Amino acid sequence: MGTISVIGSGLLGVNQITTEGFSVIQSVNRVFWIGDIAGLNEYLSHHEIHHEDLSYLYEDGGVDVDNYTRIIQYISEVLTECEHVCLIVPGHPRVGVTIVQLLQKLSQDGIFTFRCYPGISSFDAMINDIGIDPLEEGVSILDANRLIIYDYAMDPCINYFIYHVCSIGNANTDYSSPHTSNKVIYLKSKLLKHYPANTPIFLLSASTQKGQSADKLQGEISDIETLLSKVTYKHTLYIPSSLPTQDRVNFEFLKEINVI
């Protein structure tokens, strides 16, 4: 039984792969990756590690799950010829990376051993870029489609980072033009249940190049269609928290922690 290891490359490619990740890369038979991971091809070539970019198997406009199934099938076929392969993905493998969940589920049938190694996520990069401590005001990280499907309660006093706003109600991977089939009206309707129409919202995209500034676009919920017409697969919707009203403050407990 072979092993498939998934490694997160962070946002800056080889500059953010962990020491642990590099140790795994040096020990495997084959290395695969998806997407633009800065410096990876050069690193693997220099160290004479057998490698291949599988982005060509990810069809623009194809069904999301079909793309990942195609990639997994290819990796599984290679695994029949060797003991250990690794797949390197941008960011953190556990933050919004569908193929990781599919691989873990398949491994439960005993076909192969699955291992996962963390990386710096887009969430890590975004809170650093905008300068907030997620524990101070609280943070909720949500998938846009699940937010709408399950009609989760939202508290405006908490910061929200809503992922996958490029593919609302759309299972296809319209990578080059995500706004085309993006059903923004469903998200707008959901947000207006909890926020005033003039609530400021932001499209954030963490930098993927050293020295490059983060992308930050501002709008309001009332005009979210205009804001999301500029969305890419790198963007996350950020809704800043607002201070709670005085009637929500537990002053008795506040005295206990000597903050007054």
Side-chain angles (χ1 to χ4, degrees), residues 2-249:
T3 299
I4 298 178
S5 292
V6 178
I7 298 170
S9 71
L11 281 294
L12 300 179
V14 293
N15 288 315
Q16 287 188 339
I17 294 177
T18 65
T19 302
E20 180 184 39
F22 278 121
S23 177
V24 175
I25 290 169
Q26 294 283 355
S27 69
V28 301
N29 305 111
R30 297 277 293 273
V31 174
F32 302 109
W33 74 94
I34 307 170
D36 184 16
I37 301 178
L40 183 60
N41 186 54
E42 294 79 3
Y43 173 86
L44 296 171
S45 298
H46 177 74
H47 290 275
E48 298 183 344
I49 298 170
H50 197 165
H51 61 279
E52 184 178 1
D53 181 359
L54 299 184
S55 298
Y56 69 94
L57 294 174
Y58 193 92
E59 179 185 338
D60 187 10
V63 177
D64 195 35
V65 174
D66 289 348
N67 280 333
Y68 291 130
T69 299
R70 191 180 306 116
I71 293 168
I72 290 172
Q73 183 177 354
Y74 183 87
I75 295 173
S76 298
E77 288 173 0
V78 172
L79 193 60
T80 63
E81 304 169 1
C82 52
E83 294 181 358
H84 193 181
V85 302
C86 90
L87 174 66
I88 303 177
V89 298
H92 192 300
R94 297 291 188 184
V95 182
V97 186
T98 303
I99 194 170
V100 174
Q101 305 305 319
L102 295 175
L103 283 169
Q104 180 168 302
K105 186 176 181 180
L106 281 173
S107 71
Q108 293 170 356
D109 295 331
I111 301 171
F112 55 86
T113 299
F114 175 74
R115 295 174 183 158
C116 190
Y117 299 88
I120 294 175
S121 72
S122 56
F123 173 69
D124 296 321
M126 286 186 292
I127 62 171
N128 187 59
D129 288 339
I130 62 179
I132 67 167
D133 181 341
L135 300 184
E136 283 291 315
E137 297 162 351
V139 160
S140 183
I141 308 175
L142 295 168
D143 169 80
N145 290 298
R146 286 173 174 78
L147 171 63
I148 297 164
I149 290 169
Y150 299 122
D151 196 19
Y152 291 135
M154 299 181 74
D155 185 346
C157 297
I158 293 176
N159 294 286
Y160 281 90
F161 289 82
I162 304 176
Y163 277 68
H164 302 147
V165 288
C166 56
S167 52
I168 303 166
N170 179 25
N172 289 351
T173 54
D174 298 324
Y175 193 85
S176 57
S177 56
H179 61 279
T180 303
S181 302
N182 206 14
K183 299 176 178 64
V184 182
I185 190 65
Y186 287 97
L187 179 60
K188 182 178 185 178
S189 176
K190 169 59 181 170
L191 295 179
L192 287 174
K193 289 182 180 180
H194 308 279
Y195 294 91
N198 64 347
T199 300
I201 56 177
F202 299 86
L203 267 184
L204 300 181
S205 177
S207 173
T208 55
Q209 294 183 22
K210 206 169 184 179
Q212 183 187 65
S213 58
D215 190 15
K216 185 178 180 182
L217 305 173
Q218 183 173 356
E220 295 182 351
I221 292 177
S222 61
D223 197 26
I224 193 172
E225 295 92 343
T226 300
L227 184 65
L228 291 190
S229 69
K230 303 170 185 175
V231 73
T232 71
Y233 272 67
K234 295 180 180 179
H235 282 112
T236 298
L237 187 70
Y238 168 56
I239 309 177
S241 64
S242 57
L243 287 174
T245 55
Q246 194 173 33
D247 61 290
R248 292 186 60 173
V249 179

